[in-house]
Amino acid sequence: DLTALYSALDAVTIESGRQSRGKLLYTMPFGLVLPSKKISYTDAEGVRHVAYELRCASGNGLSLQDVLPPTIHPITNKHYQWGGRGKWDNLPLLPQELLALWQDLTQQDSERIISTDTMAASWDEIRSALDHIPAECSREEWLTVGMALHHAGSQVDQVHQAQELFHHWSATAPTKYKGPRDIEVVWRSFKADSGIKTGSLFHIAYQHGFKRPTPDVTELFKASTPDTPIVVADGMRIPPPPMDMALWPDILRTRALEVSESVGCDPLVPLFAGLATACAAIDSRTRLELMPGYEVPPVLWLMTIGDPADKKTPGARPMMGVLSQIEKEDRTRYNRELLQWEALDNIHQQSRKSYILSAGQNTE
């Protein structure tokens, strides 16, 4: 719902002045990188258009370049403008519905990826893919299918079986099929290292509507009790100890629970972010007596560890925003006292310089 996304309270957009065009900006969940996607459609005249794009920097550290206000648009000759009800320096997190859509598109693409290094498919799967490819296809596709079958047979030392499969498939196109002799001549010209592998065959099959079924691995994860699945992740992580919320100060606990409920994150995220914020705001000359005779400054190092999309950043940001507010409110006093200190330091430096010069003259 683009209208809802554009009218959100925290929406940040870039407007070029052109009708029916715009950009929405979001931050990705920490550590998450998704491949950029173009969603296209075909109009009534058969012309293909891009409806919208989902764009993200790459996982190997490469950035994604774009224009920002006040760049001048090359067509309208007007400045790009910030839009939306949010602020560009506090981008909202990618909405869950967009994240789900993006991940679904990525998953669909991953289902089409076929290994090209080895056969990576059974003969039954190859036959199923061939059933979707009409043998009446173009000469180029026909040769590609033949070379892919030749490569598959070469990988498992079953070249003759692959040739028979190519022969029977080609015979389903009587108008193009010239007989076994033609198949034999073409087959002998194929090389195992031609670069055409089983992935090319599946690629053509996908274009004709074939979809490779997802392997059913549920049998590997069933417990001895019927209909009781095994949760594999349970044995891979050490469960955190239970947190006694009564140990926390009321004001911190109340606010953390509010943030946790509104964001949908673990309450420990805002709790510890609030604790770190309090430590950052306390005078560093303060000392905490952990036990008789043992005092420490209020310096605390914290790390939040979780999976991508665990909403660690959205859960911590509301607790830490007060630091910027405190700094802004204290800026006037700080600047005034800094100016006074610089004046006193300047007087001190001048006095020191005069003293050294006088002492040198008295020595002579």
Side-chain angles (χ1 to χ4, degrees), residues 148-202:
L149 289 173
H150 185 276
H151 175 267
S154 301
Q155 295 296 308
V156 292
D157 196 22
Q158 295 181 1
V159 177
H160 178 71
Q161 182 175 347
Q163 182 180 358
E164 285 294 316
L165 185 58
F166 186 46
H167 166 76
H168 290 297
W169 172 73
S170 299
T172 60
T175 57
K176 286 191 174 184
Y177 180 64
K178 298 180 182 179
R181 185 177 182 83
D182 182 50
I183 298 291
E184 181 71 24
V185 172
V186 172
W187 188 263
R188 289 179 179 179
S189 68
F190 295 153
K191 304 296 180 182
D193 58 352
S194 64
I196 304 298
K197 303 179 182 180
T198 51
S200 300
L201 186 149
F202 279 101

Side-chain angles (χ1 to χ4, degrees), residues 222-301:
K222 286 187 177 180
S224 56
T225 304
D227 302 324
T228 303
I230 298 175
V231 183
V232 181
D234 286 351
M236 300 174 64
R237 294 183 179 180
I238 300 175
M243 173 58 66
D244 185 358
M245 302 295 288
L247 296 175
W248 295 81
D250 290 341
I251 187 170
L252 181 57
R253 178 176 65 250
T254 301
R255 178 57 179 152
L257 290 175
E258 291 175 352
V259 173
S260 172
E261 184 176 353
S262 62
V263 174
C265 65
D266 190 306
L268 287 181
V269 175
L271 272 175
F272 279 95
L275 183 60
T277 300
C279 291
I282 295 174
D283 192 318
S284 60
R285 294 170 293 183
T286 303
R287 291 295 180 267
L288 303 175
E289 188 176 36
L290 300 183
M291 63 180 66
Y294 183 62
E295 298 178 348
V296 296
V299 177
L300 186 64
W301 293 90

Side-chain angles (χ1 to χ4, degrees), residues 49-107:
H49 305 273
V50 175
Y52 63 93
E53 294 184 64
L54 299 169
R55 308 179 65 197
C56 176
S58 66
N60 58 357
L62 298 179
S63 63
L64 181 68
Q65 296 186 8
D66 211 328
V67 294
L68 299 175
T71 308
I72 296 178
H73 193 281
I75 296 178
T76 64
N77 291 324
K78 296 180 179 179
H79 292 281
Y80 282 94
Q81 301 288 333
W82 291 110
R85 303 166 71 179
K87 295 185 177 180
W88 63 267
D89 57 352
N90 186 24
L91 295 179
L93 189 68
L94 183 71
Q96 184 61 38
E97 59 268 28
L98 270 182
L99 176 60
L101 169 65
W102 203 335
Q103 290 176 325
D104 182 59
L105 293 173
T106 304
Q107 176 64 26

